[in-house]
Amino acid sequence: MNTALHDATLVAENTEVIQHIDPLFDVLVREAPDRSDLVRLAAGTLAAVRIPHHLSADRCAALMNALDGAEFDTYDERRIFPPVTKFGPAVFDYYLDDTIRAEYWEHAEQSRSTWKRIVGEDDPLETLVDELRRIWQGPVEPATVGGRELFVGMVRELTGGARMHFDELMREFPGVIDQELVAQFGFNCYISVPEEGGELVVYRRRWKPSDDQERIGYGWSEKVAANEPRVLVKPTTGDSVWFDSRNYHAINPNATGRRLSLAFFCGVTTENKLVLWS
């Protein structure tokens, strides 16, 4: 059976393919994806992989209740505006002079301790990472800087959306982490979704130097990718989504409701490992 046609049957109703010029740029929806699905994502022959109900509604509700008492901060507003509320440190905020500022490690340790206090023995992050190990069938561990493990498992709340941008550690912060990466994914497990808005849009387009004439703060004008294939993914509560974060992507603003996700990046190393960071 033709692979592209087969995968097209797995695109769910809450996934929309727009300007579908590339028949392989689809969202694969599977309750139990396997290693080959992530390999296809890394190769650019999938737009995203979605696991429906990766966390149960009850676990999402319990985590939402637990997080109500947690202290959130924002990304550095000099870099990202409108503000994005988050729990846990982002490497992005602590990069300075080809390394990570010393304050990062204190913030990371505090966040790990707070997270354990919030979730107790029933840690949803451990559940998700264990499942990733099953899918990858190989080592999955935190990325390191100077042998020290980076924080994994940020919780983010977006209401105003996020303008079109890309995330690529090897391009933005070359030489900082100990590992060498050949691909990078964004991972989000949605513990709360808005009734309207909040969709993820992934474009079949990567950054090139001439794009910077259309740069707006931390992102780019969407006219850079206006004529490219793209997918729109509206997850439901408990869904997990992987996508190639080197592709341009954006998040639509919320109309009503809250959008919270448990998020981290996955890097494929030259040694065939998956390393994680937030």
Side-chain angles (χ1 to χ4, degrees):
M1 183 176 183
N2 180 280
T3 301
L5 292 178
H6 174 61
D7 288 342
T9 66
L10 299 173
V11 177
E13 291 181 0
N14 57 353
T15 300
E16 181 181 352
V17 180
I18 307 170
Q19 296 182 349
H20 197 179
I21 302 167
D22 183 348
L24 298 182
F25 198 71
D26 275 336
V27 179
L28 179 64
V29 181
R30 280 188 177 160
E31 292 185 358
D34 56 32
R35 176 186 170 87
S36 65
D37 300 324
L38 293 188
V39 170
R40 287 186 57 202
L41 188 62
T45 54
L46 276 177
V49 175
R50 184 166 72 85
I51 303 178
H53 312 301
H54 202 178
L55 288 181
S56 70
D58 287 345
R59 291 190 78 181
C60 290
L63 183 55
M64 286 290 290
N65 289 335
L67 287 168
D68 282 342
E71 183 177 348
F72 281 60
D73 57 14
T74 65
Y75 288 94
D76 187 338
E77 293 182 21
R78 294 169 297 179
R79 297 187 177 192
I80 296 182
F81 193 87
V84 174
T85 303
K86 65 179 181 64
F87 168 85
V91 170
F92 182 81
D93 278 348
Y94 288 90
Y95 176 73
L96 180 68
D97 297 331
D98 299 326
T99 190
I100 303 299
R101 299 201 317 267
E103 308 95 277
Y104 170 85
W105 304 107
E106 181 179 353
H107 190 176
E109 189 56 38
Q110 290 174 346
S111 298
R112 290 187 188 104
S113 296
T114 302
W115 179 255
K116 287 298 183 185
R117 187 171 67 251
I118 289 171
V119 301
E121 296 300 317
D122 186 21
D123 189 341
L125 180 61
E126 289 184 2
T127 298
L128 297 171
V129 173
D130 285 346
E131 175 68 3
L132 182 52
R133 290 191 177 100
R134 182 202 66 77
I135 294 169
W136 188 246
Q137 299 176 13
V140 178
E141 56 198 36
T144 59
V145 173
R148 302 178 71 177
E149 293 184 353
L150 295 178
F151 178 78
V152 179
M154 177 187 296
V155 178
R156 298 188 303 173
E157 179 166 11
L158 286 93
T159 56
R163 66 170 56 109
M164 192 181 79
H165 65 287
F166 71 92
D167 300 286
E168 185 176 4
L169 191 70
M170 296 296 285
R171 179 179 297 281
E172 298 172 284
F173 310 130
V176 171
I177 68 170
D178 299 333
Q179 295 79 19
E180 293 183 323
L181 307 182
V182 295
Q184 179 174 330
F185 311 134
F187 174 89
N188 288 272
C189 182
Y190 296 88
I191 56 178
S192 177
V193 296
E195 297 171 17
E196 295 182 46
E199 300 90 351
L200 169 68
V201 184
V202 184
Y203 298 85
R204 193 186 184 282
R205 174 72 149 74
R206 293 187 183 175
W207 175 86
K208 59 183 181 181
S210 60
D211 293 348
D212 280 356
Q213 61 188 340
E214 299 295 342
R215 186 156 192 174
I216 307 170
Y218 75 88
W220 282 260
S221 166
E222 292 190 15
K223 65 183 180 182
V224 166
N227 296 318
E228 303 294 339
R230 58 192 185 275
V231 297
L232 183 147
V233 183
K234 183 172 178 57
T236 59
T237 299
D239 289 1
S240 289
V241 175
W242 278 284
F243 66 97
D244 189 331
S245 63
R246 298 170 298 177
N247 286 330
Y248 278 124
H249 53 280
I251 299 169
N252 291 336
N254 294 8
T256 57
R258 300 180 68 185
R259 183 189 193 277
L260 277 83
S261 63
L262 184 55
F264 52 83
F265 290 107
C266 309
V268 182
T269 75
T270 55
E271 299 173 327
N272 199 32
K273 295 180 180 179
L274 276 187
V275 293
L276 314 178
W277 72 95
S278 291

